[in-house]
Amino acid sequence: MLKVKDLRAGYGKVDVLHGISIEVNASECVALVGANGAGKSTTLKCICGLIETRGGSIEFEGRRIDGLAGHTVVRRGITMCPEGRQVFGEMSVLENLEMGAHTRRDKDQRADLEEMLDLFPVLRRRIKQRAGTLSGGEQEMLAIARALMSRPKLCIFDEPSLGLAPKIVDEVEQTLARIKSLGTTILLVEQNASMALRLSDRAYVFEAGEIVLQGTGAELQDHPEVSKAYLGY
């Protein structure tokens, strides 16, 4: 579904990505793990058309998407649930969910809204509440539901557990597992490497803008270098 080949990108005069290549197949969950500053989020921003690439190519369903504007990438079927949640704080929960479907022109949005409220019951209870008044965990659920409202073919999650209490992190993991079980294709960046590798079918380990290891989630969980550097044992 997604093929990134020899991707190079950066900010100003600084190169961050040095020719990385990844693939995501339909219905897979693929994780990108590594230390802060390794290039994971930059990769996601390139895929979503948020920053310009400096070389290489990005293909989605066999068509080049590098160089496309972000809103065009969304219309192609890629949605990102961003780091830090970034809900529209002054808008209600309902309005945030409706914004997730902004690019759609079909008549099934109401049914999908009900599906999201069934998937996240807390949002139904908060439906008229301003999003900025929700707890961090509730905002994360809203950000995930908002992303799903676009009916993405590929849903990208950037650090969904960042800044959340351990109990809420467990809920986020269960939510992502549920989304995966529904057949949604997922690309996941997550600082909590244990969680990322448990969820993922395959994973890539980033270091200083390069991919240094790749394999199944289970293989990388058992890899001594990964265990020592990211899993704490």
Side-chain angles (χ1 to χ4, degrees):
M1 179 178 280
L2 178 73
K3 180 180 288 187
V4 177
K5 186 175 181 181
D6 298 327
L7 183 64
R8 296 186 296 280
Y11 305 93
K13 296 181 179 180
V14 179
D15 289 331
V16 174
L17 301 179
H18 308 289
I20 65 105
S21 297
I22 66 172
E23 292 187 6
V24 182
N25 299 312
S27 300
E28 269 192 320
C29 177
V30 173
L32 311 182
V33 299
N36 285 333
K40 307 181 302 297
S41 291
T42 300
T43 300
L44 301 189
K45 290 175 182 177
C46 288
I47 294 169
C48 293
L50 300 179
I51 63 172
E52 292 186 9
T53 63
R54 296 180 175 177
S57 63
I58 305 172
E59 292 184 6
F60 183 65
E61 296 187 318
R63 301 167 66 189
R64 291 279 294 267
I65 61 170
D66 44 296
L68 297 181
H71 64 274
T72 304
V73 174
V74 172
R75 289 194 174 98
R76 291 284 180 90
I78 299 176
T79 299
M80 181 160 69
C81 182
E83 178 182 344
R85 297 170 277 284
Q86 298 185 33
V87 298
F88 301 107
E90 295 302 313
M91 298 170 66
S92 70
V93 168
L94 175 60
E95 289 168 333
N96 270 265
L97 294 173
E98 290 173 339
M99 285 297 293
H102 179 67
T103 60
R104 291 175 53 178
R105 296 294 178 265
D106 60 273
K107 298 180 180 180
D108 298 328
Q109 296 176 40
R110 182 56 55 180
D112 288 353
L113 174 62
E114 284 300 314
E115 185 178 347
M116 289 303 104
L117 297 178
D118 287 342
L119 186 61
F120 303 99
V122 66
L123 299 183
R124 189 183 293 278
R125 296 194 296 271
R126 306 277 193 270
I127 194 69
K128 296 181 179 179
Q129 191 170 324
R130 283 194 302 113
T133 65
L134 302 179
S135 69
E138 290 167 345
Q139 287 189 20
E140 186 61 45
M141 297 304 172
L142 177 56
I144 292 172
R146 182 182 61 187
L148 294 175
M149 278 296 293
S150 71
R151 278 195 179 176
K153 298 174 183 177
L154 170 64
C155 199
I156 296 176
F157 295 93
D158 191 6
E159 302 286 7
S161 76
L162 185 68
L164 299 179
K167 180 181 177 182
I168 306 302
V169 171
D170 291 341
E171 292 181 14
V172 169
E173 180 174 352
Q174 293 166 15
T175 298
L176 294 180
R178 236 175 16 251
I179 293 168
K180 177 186 174 184
S181 72
L182 297 173
T184 302
T185 306
I186 295 173
L187 179 58
L188 171 65
V189 162
E190 174 54 59
Q191 196 66 33
N192 184 333
S194 295
M195 181 178 106
L197 295 178
R198 282 194 299 270
L199 286 167
S200 64
D201 298 297
R202 294 185 301 107
Y204 297 87
V205 179
F206 277 57
E207 189 174 299
E210 298 180 352
I211 293 172
V212 294
L213 287 170
Q214 59 181 289
T216 67
E219 288 170 346
L220 292 178
Q221 277 183 300
D222 294 334
H223 195 287
E225 291 182 26
V226 175
S227 298
K228 182 179 179 180
Y230 305 112
L231 304 180
Y233 55 83

